[in-house]
Amino acid sequence: MPDFKFNMDFVPVPKDFIEHVMPSSNASYVMVYIYVLMLATTGKSMGTADIAKKLGLIESDVINAIKYWNDKGMMSGTGETVIIKHSSDEEISPETNRKTIEDISDIISGNKALSDLCLISQEILGKTLGNNDIETLYWFYDELGFSPEVITMLLEYCVSLGKRNMKYIEKVALTWHENNITTMDEAQAYITNAASRKDYISVLRKLFGINERNLSKTEKLYLESWRDQLKMSTDMVGLAYDYCVLAVGKLSFPYMNTILKRWAEQGIKTIPEAEKDHNNFKQQSSNSEIGTETQGISEIEQRFMDSYDSE
């Protein structure tokens, strides 16, 4: 007799959830709920930090989603293990790394450095800390391994950018953690470099006459690569821009990138060296049927430039 098997490769979302619960729920919370159902269907367990990474959220969003569905009666459990259920009684246990506010309050009250951090944080943020704020600050300390001094620098940096929202601060904290920033020196180096990059981009945006709009992701990557990889000053980029406009009559990031890459490959780092290279290139071009400012670039990059310039 043939052996028939049913391969369940879908997630059984309850009809009542789709019709009555989902429309009025936060989109991020819905994402968490459906992802957890998928984990339940496959019998897997995953921590909230990993769930957040998979969904492109911050961990506090996942924590808040769990609390939300708990209030809705669609899951049960407290403390570090939460059981989330749906109509077919399948379960999943996301293991949270965060302690309860009661646990955190006890720890902070017995740790002067953390107590002082809470007081300083209130001054920096200009508000009284709520339970969620305190939980997040402690998470920086306990989970990310930041010292109170580094956390203070983190808060001051974000406030200097006009950002006081704890969700934004958490995103920056995760960026620091991913870049292995754990000491005050490392944090200061990051802040200094970020400020320098911002100034670099600001100067070039003004030079290109594009202050009134946001940069596209590709444009920003070009600017950052000219600074960080090619080590080109704003003056050098400005000269490449001048040559670009003379050649094609408008701003072209791929065209400029070709010029700057050639200069970097040839070790050209100063304006006199670049001008000499340009004059030599013009002289060679006058004796060549193919002579162009972008002679020698790959076929693929040439097609990219042509398609960009035709826009």
Side-chain angles (χ1 to χ4, degrees), residues 129-142:
L129 299 179
N131 287 344
N132 288 339
D133 298 327
I134 294 173
E135 289 176 347
T136 301
L137 289 175
Y138 183 76
W139 187 73
F140 294 160
Y141 171 81
D142 184 53

Side-chain angles (χ1 to χ4, degrees), residues 9 13 29 32 77 99 214 266 289 293:
D9 59 354
V13 181
Y29 295 176
V32 172
K99 294 180 174 60
N214 294 327
Q266 296 180 1
E289 295 179 359
E293 182 65 23

